[in-house]
Protein backbone atom coordinates (compact mmCIF):
# COMPACT_ATOMS: atom_id res chain seq x y z
CA UNK A 1 0.00 0.00 0.00
CA UNK A 2 1.37 3.48 -0.89
CA UNK A 3 1.60 5.90 2.02
CA UNK A 4 0.02 9.28 1.22
CA UNK A 5 2.40 12.25 1.31
CA UNK A 6 0.93 15.12 3.29
CA UNK A 7 2.67 18.52 3.34
CA UNK A 8 1.72 21.03 6.01
CA UNK A 9 2.52 24.69 5.29
CA UNK A 10 3.03 26.41 8.64
CA UNK A 11 4.32 25.15 11.99
CA UNK A 12 2.16 27.13 14.38
CA UNK A 13 -0.22 25.43 16.77
CA UNK A 14 -2.61 24.42 13.98
CA UNK A 15 0.09 23.03 11.67
CA UNK A 16 1.85 21.16 14.48
CA UNK A 17 -1.41 19.65 15.76
CA UNK A 18 -2.44 18.53 12.27
CA UNK A 19 1.06 17.18 11.54
CA UNK A 20 1.07 15.16 14.78
CA UNK A 21 -2.40 13.69 14.23
CA UNK A 22 -1.73 12.91 10.54
CA UNK A 23 1.68 11.33 11.20
CA UNK A 24 0.16 9.24 14.02
CA UNK A 25 -2.64 8.32 11.58
CA UNK A 26 -0.17 6.82 9.09
CA UNK A 27 0.50 9.71 6.68
CA UNK A 28 3.99 10.58 5.45
CA UNK A 29 4.15 14.14 6.81
CA UNK A 30 6.43 17.04 5.87
CA UNK A 31 6.09 20.37 7.68
CA UNK A 32 7.33 23.49 5.90
CA UNK A 33 8.15 26.58 7.93
CA UNK A 34 11.25 28.81 7.82
CA UNK A 35 10.97 29.39 11.61
CA UNK A 36 8.72 26.78 13.29
CA UNK A 37 6.63 27.82 16.30
CA UNK A 38 7.74 31.45 16.37
CA UNK A 39 4.64 33.29 15.15
CA UNK A 40 1.31 34.13 16.80
CA UNK A 41 1.18 30.76 18.59
CA UNK A 42 4.46 31.56 20.37
CA UNK A 43 3.33 35.05 21.39
CA UNK A 44 -0.14 33.87 22.56
CA UNK A 45 -1.52 33.95 26.10
CA UNK A 46 -2.98 30.44 25.85
CA UNK A 47 -6.57 31.01 26.99
CA UNK A 48 -9.00 28.19 26.18
CA UNK A 49 -11.97 30.47 26.56
CA UNK A 50 -14.92 29.97 24.21
CA UNK A 51 -17.45 31.15 26.80
CA UNK A 52 -15.67 34.28 28.00
CA UNK A 53 -14.73 35.19 24.41
CA UNK A 54 -18.38 34.70 23.29
CA UNK A 55 -20.08 37.48 21.42
CA UNK A 56 -23.77 37.72 20.37
CA UNK A 57 -24.08 36.83 16.70
CA UNK A 58 -21.07 34.47 16.83
CA UNK A 59 -22.94 31.36 17.97
CA UNK A 60 -21.25 29.07 15.40
CA UNK A 61 -17.86 30.12 16.80
CA UNK A 62 -19.05 29.48 20.37
CA UNK A 63 -20.27 26.01 19.36
CA UNK A 64 -16.97 25.22 17.64
CA UNK A 65 -15.00 26.56 20.62
CA UNK A 66 -17.01 24.60 23.18
CA UNK A 67 -16.63 21.43 21.09
CA UNK A 68 -12.85 21.96 21.00
CA UNK A 69 -12.67 22.82 24.72
CA UNK A 70 -14.36 19.48 25.51
CA UNK A 71 -11.59 17.77 23.58
CA UNK A 72 -8.77 19.61 25.40
CA UNK A 73 -8.26 17.35 28.45
CA UNK A 74 -8.04 14.21 26.28
CA UNK A 75 -5.88 16.00 23.69
CA UNK A 76 -3.47 17.20 26.40
CA UNK A 77 -3.24 13.77 28.04
CA UNK A 78 -2.57 12.02 24.71
CA UNK A 79 -0.06 14.67 23.75
CA UNK A 80 1.83 14.39 27.03
CA UNK A 81 2.08 10.64 26.55
CA UNK A 82 3.06 10.91 22.87
CA UNK A 83 5.64 13.66 23.40
CA UNK A 84 7.06 12.47 26.72
CA UNK A 85 6.76 16.02 28.05
CA UNK A 86 3.95 18.16 29.52
CA UNK A 87 1.34 19.74 27.27
CA UNK A 88 0.90 22.63 29.74
CA UNK A 89 -2.89 22.44 30.39
CA UNK A 90 -4.21 24.41 33.41
CA UNK A 91 -7.67 23.56 34.73
CA UNK A 92 -8.24 26.26 37.40
CA UNK A 93 -10.88 28.11 35.35
CA UNK A 94 -11.55 31.77 34.61
CA UNK A 95 -13.09 34.82 36.26
CA UNK A 96 -14.35 37.80 34.29
CA UNK A 97 -14.34 41.03 36.28
CA UNK A 98 -15.52 44.61 35.88
CA UNK A 99 -14.43 47.88 37.41
CA UNK A 100 -16.76 50.84 36.60
CA UNK A 101 -20.57 50.89 36.27
CA UNK A 102 -20.39 50.71 32.46
CA UNK A 103 -18.13 47.63 32.64
CA UNK A 104 -20.52 45.96 35.08
CA UNK A 105 -23.47 46.66 32.77
CA UNK A 106 -21.53 45.07 29.91
CA UNK A 107 -20.80 41.96 32.00
CA UNK A 108 -24.50 41.75 32.94
CA UNK A 109 -25.32 41.67 29.24
CA UNK A 110 -22.71 38.92 28.69
CA UNK A 111 -24.02 36.94 31.69
CA UNK A 112 -27.62 37.18 30.39
CA UNK A 113 -26.56 36.08 26.93
CA UNK A 114 -24.54 33.12 28.25
CA UNK A 115 -27.33 32.08 30.68
CA UNK A 116 -29.81 32.13 27.77
CA UNK A 117 -27.46 29.76 25.92
CA UNK A 118 -27.34 27.47 28.99
CA UNK A 119 -23.67 28.11 29.77
CA UNK A 120 -22.22 27.49 33.24
CA UNK A 121 -21.72 31.04 34.57
CA UNK A 122 -22.03 32.38 38.14
CA UNK A 123 -22.39 36.11 38.96
CA UNK A 124 -20.23 37.28 41.89
CA UNK A 125 -19.72 40.54 43.80
CA UNK A 126 -16.33 42.15 44.40
CA UNK A 127 -15.87 40.59 47.84
CA UNK A 128 -16.77 37.10 46.61
CA UNK A 129 -14.32 37.49 43.74
CA UNK A 130 -11.55 38.55 46.12
CA UNK A 131 -12.27 35.49 48.28
CA UNK A 132 -11.66 33.35 45.19
CA UNK A 133 -8.70 35.38 43.95
CA UNK A 134 -7.12 37.58 46.65
CA UNK A 135 -4.89 39.19 44.00
CA UNK A 136 -7.91 41.14 42.65
CA UNK A 137 -7.77 44.77 43.77
CA UNK A 138 -10.43 47.02 45.36
CA UNK A 139 -11.45 48.55 42.02
CA UNK A 140 -13.00 45.18 41.02
CA UNK A 141 -16.71 45.55 41.84
CA UNK A 142 -18.29 42.48 40.29
CA UNK A 143 -17.91 39.73 37.76
CA UNK A 144 -18.50 36.17 36.71
CA UNK A 145 -16.95 32.83 37.52
CA UNK A 146 -16.61 30.61 34.45
CA UNK A 147 -14.93 27.44 35.75
CA UNK A 148 -15.09 25.69 32.37
CA UNK A 149 -12.85 28.17 30.50
CA UNK A 150 -9.28 26.88 30.89
CA UNK A 151 -5.75 27.83 29.81
CA UNK A 152 -2.57 26.24 28.51
CA UNK A 153 1.08 27.27 28.56
CA UNK A 154 1.39 27.82 24.81
CA UNK A 155 5.18 27.39 24.77
CA UNK A 156 5.10 24.05 26.57
CA UNK A 157 2.31 23.07 24.19
CA UNK A 158 4.28 23.96 21.04
CA UNK A 159 7.36 22.04 22.25
CA UNK A 160 5.20 19.00 23.05
CA UNK A 161 3.44 19.13 19.69
CA UNK A 162 6.70 19.27 17.78
CA UNK A 163 8.16 16.40 19.82
CA UNK A 164 5.03 14.29 19.30
CA UNK A 165 4.95 15.04 15.57
CA UNK A 166 8.63 14.10 15.19
CA UNK A 167 8.20 10.94 17.27
CA UNK A 168 5.31 9.97 14.95
CA UNK A 169 7.60 10.44 11.92
CA UNK A 170 6.90 14.01 10.70
CA UNK A 171 9.84 15.78 9.03
CA UNK A 172 10.46 19.52 9.49
CA UNK A 173 11.91 21.46 6.55
CA UNK A 174 12.87 25.07 7.31
CA UNK A 175 11.84 26.62 4.01
CA UNK A 176 9.22 29.15 2.92
CA UNK A 177 6.34 27.90 0.79
CA UNK A 178 5.77 30.01 -2.32
CA UNK A 179 2.68 28.31 -3.74
CA UNK A 180 0.77 25.07 -4.23
CA UNK A 181 1.59 22.99 -7.32
CA UNK A 182 -1.27 21.32 -9.17
CA UNK A 183 -1.71 19.22 -12.28
CA UNK A 184 -5.03 18.34 -13.91
CA UNK A 185 -7.07 19.53 -10.91
CA UNK A 186 -4.99 17.55 -8.39
CA UNK A 187 -2.42 18.86 -5.92
CA UNK A 188 1.07 17.53 -6.71
CA UNK A 189 3.25 19.47 -4.31
CA UNK A 190 4.45 22.77 -2.92
CA UNK A 191 6.93 25.20 -4.48
CA UNK A 192 9.37 26.52 -1.87
CA UNK A 193 12.38 28.86 -1.78
CA UNK A 194 14.57 25.75 -1.75
CA UNK A 195 12.88 23.69 -4.50
CA UNK A 196 9.65 21.74 -4.94
CA UNK A 197 8.27 19.27 -2.39
CA UNK A 198 6.05 16.53 -3.88
CA UNK A 199 2.76 15.84 -2.07
CA UNK A 200 -0.60 14.11 -2.52
CA UNK A 201 -2.30 16.37 0.04
CA UNK A 202 -1.37 19.88 1.14
CA UNK A 203 -2.66 21.83 4.13
CA UNK A 204 -2.37 25.62 4.16
CA UNK A 205 -2.20 26.68 7.80
CA UNK A 206 0.26 29.55 7.61
CA UNK A 207 -1.78 31.85 9.85
CA UNK A 208 -2.08 35.45 8.67
CA UNK A 209 0.31 34.67 5.78
CA UNK A 210 -2.04 32.06 4.31
CA UNK A 211 -3.61 34.69 2.04
CA UNK A 212 -0.38 34.93 0.02
CA UNK A 213 -0.50 31.22 -0.86
CA UNK A 214 -3.81 31.02 -2.75
CA UNK A 215 -5.85 33.67 -4.58
CA UNK A 216 -9.04 32.35 -2.91
CA UNK A 217 -7.64 33.29 0.49
CA UNK A 218 -6.12 36.65 -0.42
CA UNK A 219 -9.24 38.72 0.34
CA UNK A 220 -10.37 36.58 3.26
CA UNK A 221 -7.46 36.31 5.68
CA UNK A 222 -6.11 39.52 7.18
CA UNK A 223 -3.45 40.26 9.85
CA UNK A 224 -4.66 41.46 13.27
CA UNK A 225 -1.79 42.56 15.49
CA UNK A 226 -1.69 41.77 19.20
CA UNK A 227 0.88 42.82 21.83
CA UNK A 228 1.43 40.81 24.99
CA UNK A 229 3.62 41.00 28.12
CA UNK A 230 5.19 38.30 30.25
CA UNK A 231 5.71 39.02 33.96
CA UNK A 232 7.61 37.00 36.57
CA UNK A 233 6.75 36.92 40.27
CA UNK A 234 9.47 38.28 42.60
CA UNK A 235 10.06 37.23 46.20
CA UNK A 236 7.83 39.26 48.49
CA UNK A 237 5.38 40.34 45.77
CA UNK A 238 1.67 39.50 46.16
CA UNK A 239 0.99 36.01 44.69
CA UNK A 240 -0.54 35.87 41.21
CA UNK A 241 -4.12 34.67 40.70
CA UNK A 242 -4.55 30.95 40.06
CA UNK A 243 -7.41 31.41 37.57
CA UNK A 244 -7.27 33.31 34.30
CA UNK A 245 -8.55 36.84 34.94
CA UNK A 246 -10.33 38.67 32.16
CA UNK A 247 -11.31 42.24 32.89
CA UNK A 248 -13.05 45.25 31.48
CA UNK A 249 -11.42 48.48 32.62
CA UNK A 250 -13.34 51.56 31.50
CA UNK A 251 -14.50 49.57 28.49
CA UNK A 252 -11.04 48.24 27.58
CA UNK A 253 -10.49 44.48 27.74
CA UNK A 254 -7.36 43.07 29.38
CA UNK A 255 -6.49 39.55 30.53
CA UNK A 256 -3.94 37.87 32.81
CA UNK A 257 -3.16 34.19 32.28
CA UNK A 258 -1.24 32.46 35.10
CA UNK A 259 1.82 30.33 34.45
CA UNK A 260 3.44 27.69 36.67
CA UNK A 261 5.98 29.36 38.93
CA UNK A 262 3.78 32.41 39.60
CA UNK A 263 4.27 34.22 36.29
CA UNK A 264 1.55 35.97 34.32
CA UNK A 265 0.92 36.67 30.67
CA UNK A 266 -0.87 40.00 30.19
CA UNK A 267 -2.69 40.64 26.92
CA UNK A 268 -3.57 41.76 24.47
CA UNK A 269 -3.86 44.77 22.24
CA UNK A 270 -5.68 44.46 18.94
CA UNK A 271 -4.96 46.61 15.89
CA UNK A 272 -5.30 46.25 12.14
CA UNK A 273 -1.91 47.61 11.05
CA UNK A 274 -0.77 44.93 8.60
CA UNK A 275 2.21 42.66 9.24
CA UNK A 276 3.56 44.85 12.04
CA UNK A 277 5.26 43.05 14.93
CA UNK A 278 6.81 46.09 16.64
CA UNK A 279 5.90 46.46 20.32
CA UNK A 280 4.74 50.04 20.86
CA UNK A 281 5.16 52.19 23.96
CA UNK A 282 1.42 52.89 23.93
CA UNK A 283 0.56 49.19 23.78
CA UNK A 284 2.77 48.34 26.78
CA UNK A 285 1.44 51.36 28.72
CA UNK A 286 -2.21 50.43 28.09
CA UNK A 287 -1.73 46.79 29.10
CA UNK A 288 0.20 47.61 32.28
CA UNK A 289 -2.13 50.45 33.31
CA UNK A 290 -5.27 48.33 32.93
CA UNK A 291 -3.80 45.13 34.37
CA UNK A 292 -2.48 46.99 37.43
CA UNK A 293 -5.92 48.44 38.18
CA UNK A 294 -7.28 44.88 38.39
CA UNK A 295 -4.21 43.17 39.92
CA UNK A 296 -2.34 45.90 41.86
CA UNK A 297 0.34 43.47 43.07
CA UNK A 298 1.88 43.17 39.60
CA UNK A 299 3.67 46.49 40.14
CA UNK A 300 6.26 44.45 42.07
CA UNK A 301 6.72 41.82 39.36
CA UNK A 302 9.53 41.73 36.78
CA UNK A 303 8.60 42.60 33.21
CA UNK A 304 10.48 39.85 31.38
CA UNK A 305 9.15 40.05 27.84
CA UNK A 306 7.06 42.13 25.50
CA UNK A 307 6.14 40.70 22.11
CA UNK A 308 3.73 41.20 19.24
CA UNK A 309 2.13 38.61 16.99
CA UNK A 310 -0.22 38.72 14.03
CA UNK A 311 -3.50 36.80 14.36
CA UNK A 312 -5.14 35.48 11.19
CA UNK A 313 -8.53 37.22 10.95
CA UNK A 314 -11.45 36.10 8.78
CA UNK A 315 -14.53 38.09 7.67
CA UNK A 316 -16.87 36.43 10.24
CA UNK A 317 -14.28 35.53 12.94
CA UNK A 318 -14.83 31.81 12.24
CA UNK A 319 -11.83 29.91 10.88
CA UNK A 320 -11.72 28.36 7.42
CA UNK A 321 -11.39 24.57 7.79
CA UNK A 322 -11.99 22.37 4.75
CA UNK A 323 -11.20 21.69 1.10
CA UNK A 324 -10.30 24.46 -1.30
CA UNK A 325 -9.47 24.49 -5.03
CA UNK A 326 -7.77 21.42 -6.52
CA UNK A 327 -8.31 17.90 -5.14
CA UNK A 328 -5.96 17.27 -2.23
CA UNK A 329 -5.78 20.88 -1.05
CA UNK A 330 -7.02 21.66 2.48
CA UNK A 331 -7.00 24.86 4.48
CA UNK A 332 -7.08 25.51 8.22
CA UNK A 333 -6.57 29.18 8.96
CA UNK A 334 -8.44 32.32 10.06
CA UNK A 335 -8.55 31.18 13.70
CA UNK A 336 -8.13 34.81 14.82
CA UNK A 337 -8.11 34.91 18.69
CA UNK A 338 -8.84 31.20 19.04
CA UNK A 339 -6.03 29.21 17.41
CA UNK A 340 -4.84 27.48 20.57
CA UNK A 341 -8.39 26.70 21.72
CA UNK A 342 -9.39 25.33 18.31
CA UNK A 343 -6.27 23.20 17.69
CA UNK A 344 -7.77 19.86 18.87
CA UNK A 345 -10.97 20.08 16.80
CA UNK A 346 -9.13 21.50 13.78
CA UNK A 347 -6.62 18.63 13.81
CA UNK A 348 -9.43 16.09 14.20
CA UNK A 349 -11.28 17.66 11.25
CA UNK A 350 -8.18 17.73 9.04
CA UNK A 351 -7.42 14.07 9.76
CA UNK A 352 -11.05 13.18 8.99
CA UNK A 353 -10.85 15.06 5.66
CA UNK A 354 -7.58 13.29 4.79
CA UNK A 355 -9.17 9.92 5.56
CA UNK A 356 -12.45 10.71 3.76
CA UNK A 357 -14.45 10.60 7.01
CA UNK A 358 -17.09 13.09 8.21
CA UNK A 359 -15.80 16.07 10.19
CA UNK A 360 -17.03 16.74 13.77
CA UNK A 361 -20.52 18.31 13.98
CA UNK A 362 -19.49 21.93 14.67
CA UNK A 363 -16.94 22.07 11.83
CA UNK A 364 -19.09 22.36 8.66
CA UNK A 365 -19.98 25.95 9.71
CA UNK A 366 -16.28 26.73 9.17
CA UNK A 367 -16.15 25.30 5.63
CA UNK A 368 -14.48 27.79 3.27
CA UNK A 369 -17.35 27.30 0.77
CA UNK A 370 -19.38 29.82 2.81
CA UNK A 371 -17.29 32.42 0.98
CA UNK A 372 -18.08 30.95 -2.45
CA UNK A 373 -18.81 34.40 -3.93
CA UNK A 374 -15.45 35.85 -2.84
CA UNK A 375 -13.69 32.72 -4.09
CA UNK A 376 -15.41 33.02 -7.48
CA UNK A 377 -14.28 36.68 -7.69
CA UNK A 378 -10.71 35.45 -7.19
CA UNK A 379 -11.18 33.66 -10.54
CA UNK A 380 -10.66 30.17 -9.18
CA UNK A 381 -13.09 27.24 -9.35
CA UNK A 382 -14.60 26.17 -6.05
CA UNK A 383 -14.88 22.43 -5.57
N1 LIG B 1 -6.95 34.86 22.51
C1 LIG B 1 -6.80 36.17 22.93
C2 LIG B 1 -6.07 37.05 22.01
O1 LIG B 1 -5.90 36.74 20.85
O2 LIG B 1 -5.68 38.10 22.43
Amino acid sequence: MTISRFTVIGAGVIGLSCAWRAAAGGFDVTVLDPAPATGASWVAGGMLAPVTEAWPGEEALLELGVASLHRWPGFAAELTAAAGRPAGLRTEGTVVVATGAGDRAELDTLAGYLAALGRDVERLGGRELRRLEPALGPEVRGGLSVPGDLAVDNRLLLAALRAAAERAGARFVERSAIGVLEDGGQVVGVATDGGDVAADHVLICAGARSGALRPELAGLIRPIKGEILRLAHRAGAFPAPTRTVRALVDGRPVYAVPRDGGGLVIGATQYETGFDTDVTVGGVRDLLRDAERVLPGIAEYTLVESAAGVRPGSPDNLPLIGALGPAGLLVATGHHRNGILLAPITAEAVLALLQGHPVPDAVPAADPSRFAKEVAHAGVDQR
Side-chain angles (χ1 to χ4, degrees):
M1 201 183 80
T2 336
I3 298 178
S4 257
R5 296 161 304 175
F6 176 44
T7 295
V8 175
I9 305 177
V13 68
I14 298 297
L16 291 172
S17 301
C18 295
W20 168 43
R21 291 303 207 192
F27 287 81
D28 174 9
V29 177
T30 302
V31 183
L32 295 174
D33 194 316
T38 57
S41 308
W42 176 255
V43 173
M47 285 185 297
L48 308 175
V51 173
T52 51
E53 286 261 329
W55 200 251
E58 294 187 351
E59 286 73 25
L61 179 59
L62 175 61
E63 197 190 328
L64 186 66
V66 168
S68 199
L69 181 65
H70 285 153
R71 285 161 168 80
W72 251 101
F75 182 83
E78 274 184 66
L79 178 58
T80 299
R85 50 180 300 147
L89 182 65
R90 291 182 63 102
T91 54
E92 290 84 350
T94 297
V95 290
V96 194
V97 305
T99 53
D103 300 327
R104 273 179 281 154
E106 193 151 328
L107 280 201
D108 281 345
T109 307
L110 176 65
Y113 168 65
L114 293 171
L117 292 176
R119 298 291 158 200
D120 182 16
V121 170
E122 188 190 357
R123 291 181 203 228
L124 299 173
R127 240 175 282 156
E128 292 167 299
L129 283 161
R130 272 182 287 281
R131 263 199 297 276
L132 276 185
E133 289 296 352
L136 293 170
E139 281 203 65
V140 170
R141 304 267 159 66
L144 313 173
S145 166
V146 186
D149 272 9
L150 310 179
V152 66
D153 182 323
N154 55 311
R155 294 180 179 179
L156 289 179
L157 172 68
L158 293 170
L161 284 170
R162 179 160 181 168
E166 284 181 325
R167 280 183 169 195
R171 278 179 307 282
F172 285 75
V173 177
E174 295 196 1
R175 289 191 215 154
S176 293
I178 295 165
V180 176
L181 303 168
E182 52 187 292
D183 186 16
Q186 166 69 49
V187 156
V188 294
V190 179
T192 80
D193 56 359
D196 295 348
V197 175
D200 307 303
H201 305 270
V202 170
L203 175 68
I204 297 177
C205 50
R209 303 216 171 256
S210 300
L213 293 165
R214 286 297 294 187
E216 302 97 315
L217 297 176
L220 297 177
I221 303 300
R222 68 187 199 285
I224 304 177
K225 177 179 176 178
E227 292 158 313
I228 214 157
L229 308 174
R230 283 178 157 76
L231 313 185
H233 181 261
R234 292 195 314 144
F238 204 87
T242 55
R243 294 165 182 76
T244 296
V245 175
R246 302 176 59 107
L248 278 175
V249 181
D250 297 338
R252 294 180 301 271
V254 66
Y255 56 77
V257 192
R259 288 289 187 264
D260 288 349
L264 281 173
V265 181
I266 306 289
T269 59
Q270 187 159 310
Y271 318 101
E272 305 229 5
T273 50
F275 288 95
D276 167 19
T277 51
D278 287 342
V279 177
T280 64
V281 172
V284 175
R285 175 204 58 214
D286 288 352
L287 291 173
L288 286 179
R289 178 196 57 212
D290 292 340
E292 198 185 344
R293 282 182 57 189
V294 178
L295 299 166
I298 64 168
E300 299 299 325
Y301 285 45
T302 314
L303 173 57
V304 287
E305 184 184 325
S306 61
V310 183
R311 310 171 181 96
S314 79
D316 56 6
N317 292 336
L318 258 180
L320 281 71
I321 306 170
L324 187 83
L329 180 60
L330 300 175
V331 63
T333 188
H335 291 72
H336 190 209
R337 297 172 61 90
N338 298 299
I340 306 251
L341 166 68
L342 297 177
I345 200 162
T346 303
E348 190 177 320
V350 166
L351 182 59
L353 290 164
L354 288 171
Q355 293 174 329
H357 296 155
V359 295
D361 282 351
V363 176
D367 194 288
S369 62
R370 70 190 187 279
F371 298 118
K373 213 166 60 197
E374 288 83 343
V375 168
H377 284 159
V380 177
D381 289 342
Q382 174 80 8
R383 288 209 314 150

